[in-house]
Amino acid sequence: MSQRPEDDEIEITLLGPGRGECCVLHVGGGEWLVIDSCVTQTGHPAALFYLESLGVSPTAVRWIVATHWHDDHIRCFATLVEKCSQARVFHSAALEKDEFTVLAALDADSLIEGSSGAKEMWKTWTYLKNSGRGSPELTLSDLRIFQRPLGLSPNCEIWALSPSNASVAKAITNFSTLIAKVGQPKRAIPRPERNPSSVVIWVRTGDVIVLLGADLERTSEVSRGWQAIINSNGRPLEQAHLIKIPHHGSHDAHDQAMWNNLLVPYPIAGLTPFKQGNINLPRNSDRARIASLTSQAWLTRDNATARPKRRPRPVTKTIKEATRRFERLSINPGRVTFRCHSTQPVRWTVDAPSPAIQL
Amino acid sequence: MTTTNTTRPLDINSPYSEMAVTPAFDIPPQARSPVSANVSTTAPRNDQMTALGHDRPYLPVGLPVPLPTHTEAQPLFTALQKWQGTVSQVTDSTFSAVLLDLLEPSVEEVAEFDLEEVSRGDLDLIAPGAVFYWSIGYRTEPSGERSRSSVLVFRRLPAWSEKDLQRATDNAKELRNNFGW
C-alpha cells in the first residue's frame, strides 16, 4: 500500500525480521504509534523507511513503545526516538530499576563492538537526557497511555496490559544474574532465554480492536505472563479482532486462555519469524496451531535468514569448509499491512507483498 | 580445509612479524585498544594452533616496532575477510555465533562452528557472550607456497574491575536521578 490510510482507518503494519520486529500503527486521525524497532539491510530503522514510503512525516508519530530490551526488538531504537521528535517514549517499568540501569551502563562501557539491547537502551536514555526531552514513561499493567479527547474522531484508546508487578519483580531478579561480578571476564550480554516483563499493547480505534502481543510468554503463575492479563480486573474487557502473535509464534508464548478471553473467535493475525542458534521460529507445529486458530495468519517472511552475501570465491569456499551452517541475518524486513475502517463491520484489507506468506 | 603445518613457530619479535600479519583493511578502533593488545602479544604455542591455521593476524597496531636485527622471513597472512563474532549458543560439540562483517558492518551473519575449529588454549573462553575474531585469507610461506587459511582467535578481554563496576553504578545513579527514577 503506497497510499497513506484515511483518517478513519486503523492500520497495523508488521515489519521484520531485518534483525528484529516492529509494528507501525495508524490509530486514526493522522496519529501513529510505533512499537519496537527493527532495521533495514542497510541498518536504518525500518519504521521510518515505511512511513517515508507513505509520505508520512516522523513527527506524526505520537508514541513509541519498547516492549522489552532484547536486541531483536530495539535495533536503532535511539535513532527512531530521535527522528520522531514529537513522540512520547514508553518502556517497561522493570527497566528503570537499579539492576537494569547498571547492566546497561556496564554494557555501554564494555568496549565490545556491535549492538546489544542494553547498550541501545543506554544510548536512548542518553539521547533523551541530553536533548532535554525528558525521561521515558514507564508502563505497568492496566495503564491507559492515551485516550483521544471527546469530540475528535475516530475515538481511540491505547492501553498497556503488562508487565504485572510480579513480572517486574521477576525481571529484576533476572537482571541481577546478568550483572558482571568483579573478576569476571568481559563479555557481551547474552540474550536471555526468558522475557518476563514484555509490554503488551491494546488499541481501540472506533469499533476495531487490536492486541499486540510483544514477546509475552505463558507462565504457570496467575500473577505473571498472559495469565496476569487474563485475570486482571483493570484492563479493558472487549475482545480484539486482530493479534500480533506473541514471541514469533513460539509455543512458550501460547496460552489458550488468551485466545479464549482476549480475542474474538478466529481473529486475523500477523507475526514475524526469528532465528538464533538452532532456534527457528515459528516451527511447523506453531504454524499449524496458529493457522487453526485464525481466519487468516500472515508471516512477514518465511525464514529469518537468507543466503550469505556474495564474496570472493576463496572466501566462500573456506566458509563452507569451516562452518556447519552459515546464513545472513541482516536482510530487508518483510511487511504485512492490515487496514480496516474504524466502524462496523470489521473488514480487513491485507497487503502482504513477497516475501510475506500466508500460513 | 586448506592448512599449512609449519614446524617453525612465529617469532613475535621478528621485524617482519607485523608486516606478516597486517590485515588488508583497517582494524576497528576498539580492536586497537590495549584490550586487544592483551590478546595478541603472545605468539601461539604449537599446541594452540588451530586446524585451520595458526597465524596471529591481529597484532596490536601502535606498539613499538623493534628495529630489524635479522632478516629471517616469516609467513605472510593476507586477510580477505574478517568478522567479529559473539557466541550465542554452545553445545557439546559446536558453538553458534552472530558475526559482524568488519568490511561491511551493516552485514550480520550467523554461523555454527565445530569446537574443533578452536585452539585448545581458547576453548575455556567459549561461553555465550564471548567475543572472537574470524579471518579468512591467504598464508604465504617464505618459500612462496600459498594456502588458504581460516583463523579463529578469541579475545581475552580484561576482567571487570571494582573500578569498572563502581563507574557503571555511578553512571546509572546519575541517569536515574536525572530522570527522577
Side-chain angles (χ1 to χ4, degrees):
Chain A
M1 293 182 190
S2 57
Q3 299 289 317
R4 70 175 73 181
E6 295 171 23
D7 271 6
D8 77 327
E9 277 183 315
I10 183 169
E11 176 191 300
I12 300 93
T13 291
L14 284 187
L15 301 165
R19 287 237 73 192
E21 77 171 29
C22 172
C23 302
V24 183
L25 285 90
H26 177 250
V27 299
E31 296 187 304
W32 294 78
L33 159 67
V34 178
I35 298 175
D36 290 335
S37 180
C38 66
V39 294
T40 63
Q41 197 167 341
T42 51
H44 297 102
L48 296 179
F49 192 79
Y50 175 67
L51 290 171
E52 189 183 340
S53 74
L54 295 178
V56 174
S57 164
T59 56
V61 176
R62 299 284 185 256
W63 314 272
I64 301 175
V65 179
T67 62
H68 58 297
W69 64 280
H70 291 177
D71 190 32
D72 61 318
H73 285 257
I74 59 166
R75 277 290 172 111
C76 272
F77 191 74
T79 306
L80 180 69
V81 167
E82 183 180 349
K83 299 289 182 193
C84 299
S85 56
Q86 304 302 309
R88 293 163 61 192
V89 180
F90 295 83
H91 62 59
S92 165
L95 305 191
E96 68 143 338
K97 305 298 181 188
D98 293 8
E99 290 78 1
F100 186 79
T101 53
V102 170
L103 183 69
L106 274 172
D107 204 30
D109 200 25
S110 68
L111 287 178
I112 294 172
E113 282 187 73
S115 66
S116 83
K119 205 187 287 183
E120 188 68 31
M121 198 50 74
W122 186 263
K123 194 174 166 186
T124 304
W125 288 335
T126 303
Y127 164 74
L128 288 171
K129 186 179 74 166
N130 294 342
S131 66
R133 277 174 66 179
S135 66
E137 296 175 60
L138 306 174
T139 63
L140 273 169
S141 54
D142 305 334
L143 175 73
R144 187 164 62 195
I145 288 174
F146 172 72
Q147 181 172 31
R148 187 164 284 139
L150 284 172
L152 294 180
S153 180
N155 64 55
C156 174
E157 282 181 85
I158 303 173
W159 287 71
L161 303 189
S162 66
S164 63
N165 287 327
S167 297
V168 170
K170 179 71 177 171
I172 291 169
T173 306
N174 291 359
F175 297 149
S176 303
T177 65
L178 294 172
I179 295 174
K181 309 281 186 300
V182 172
Q184 282 184 340
K186 287 186 179 176
R187 292 192 178 119
I189 299 174
R191 185 180 192 276
E193 289 182 8
R194 312 302 296 181
N195 175 45
S197 67
S198 199
V199 179
V200 169
I201 295 288
W202 183 98
V203 178
R204 172 173 49 204
T205 293
D207 298 327
V208 183
I209 299 169
V210 300
L211 183 66
L212 302 141
D215 274 4
L216 195 68
E217 295 169 351
R218 181 189 64 243
T219 64
S220 54
E221 296 170 41
V222 294
S223 59
R224 296 198 290 116
W226 284 106
Q227 283 297 315
I229 295 178
I230 292 157
N231 291 304
S232 166
N233 294 321
R235 66 175 170 83
L237 297 176
E238 296 95 323
Q239 293 176 314
H241 305 94
L242 180 148
I243 179 163
K244 197 291 289 182
I245 301 281
H247 203 206
H248 315 281
S250 168
H251 181 69
D252 61 21
H254 174 72
D255 191 323
Q256 189 58 45
M258 181 272 280
W259 289 83
N260 296 341
N261 289 276
L262 304 185
L263 301 169
V264 299
Y266 301 103
I268 195 166
L271 71 160
T272 64
F274 172 79
K275 179 159 193 166
Q276 179 164 297
N278 298 325
I279 301 165
N280 219 341
L281 299 174
R283 297 179 180 89
N284 286 339
S285 56
D286 300 323
R287 294 176 189 222
R289 183 188 68 245
I290 292 164
S292 73
L293 289 167
T294 54
S295 58
Q296 291 179 53
W298 295 85
L299 184 61
T300 54
R301 288 187 83 101
D302 198 8
N303 289 301
T305 55
R307 292 166 65 91
K309 78 169 193 176
R310 288 179 68 89
R311 294 190 169 92
R313 189 171 158 72
V315 175
T316 306
K317 204 171 167 185
T318 312
I319 288 171
K320 278 185 185 164
E321 291 165 347
T323 62
R324 285 195 183 193
R325 190 167 46 81
F326 188 87
E327 293 163 319
R328 182 174 180 140
L329 283 175
S330 49
I331 50 182
N332 273 326
R335 172 177 70 81
V336 180
T337 297
F338 305 92
R339 268 190 199 171
C340 182
H341 285 282
S342 58
T343 50
Q344 295 279 6
V346 177
R347 285 205 187 105
W348 294 101
T349 305
V350 182
D351 181 37
S354 179
I357 60 164
Q358 186 171 7
L359 298 182
Chain B
M1 172 55 49
T2 309
T3 60
T4 307
N5 289 312
T6 180
T7 55
R8 183 178 56 206
L10 290 175
D11 177 3
I12 202 76
N13 295 316
S14 160
Y16 296 101
S17 54
E18 183 144 345
M19 177 199 76
V21 296
T22 299
F25 42 81
D26 283 344
I27 295 176
Q30 281 92 335
R32 293 193 203 113
S33 69
V35 171
S36 61
N38 290 340
V39 174
S40 306
T41 49
T42 309
R45 300 188 308 271
N46 283 341
D47 65 355
Q48 291 178 319
M49 294 173 180
T50 71
L52 300 172
H54 38 73
D55 276 342
R56 303 300 299 246
Y58 309 116
L59 275 181
V61 173
L63 289 181
V65 178
L67 292 170
T69 53
H70 58 92
T71 56
E72 186 183 355
Q74 293 294 313
L76 174 72
F77 185 86
T78 307
L80 299 172
Q81 176 66 52
K82 182 179 169 186
W83 294 266
Q84 178 186 277
T86 306
V87 175
S88 55
Q89 200 175 47
V90 184
T91 69
D92 289 343
S93 58
T94 67
F95 71 97
S96 299
V98 175
L99 303 172
L100 184 68
D101 185 331
L102 294 179
L103 297 185
E104 192 180 345
S106 63
V107 174
E108 283 185 310
E109 286 149 318
V110 61
E112 185 179 5
F113 298 90
D114 285 319
L115 291 176
E116 290 169 2
E117 301 288 344
V118 180
S119 310
R120 268 185 281 165
D122 279 357
L123 282 175
D124 61 329
L125 299 174
I126 302 179
V131 178
F132 64 94
Y133 289 106
W134 180 31
S135 62
I136 289 174
Y138 282 117
R139 178 186 172 94
T140 307
E141 299 299 323
S143 64
E145 184 189 356
R146 198 166 80 143
S147 56
R148 271 188 294 120
S149 186
S150 163
V151 184
L152 274 172
V153 180
F154 274 77
R155 283 181 74 180
R156 290 182 184 272
L157 291 164
W160 290 105
S161 66
E162 189 80 52
K163 201 174 162 187
D164 291 331
L165 294 178
Q166 190 57 53
R167 187 168 59 242
T169 303
D170 292 345
N171 289 342
K173 190 176 177 186
E174 186 199 336
L175 180 103
R176 286 197 304 275
N177 286 341
N178 193 286
F179 284 164
W181 287 347

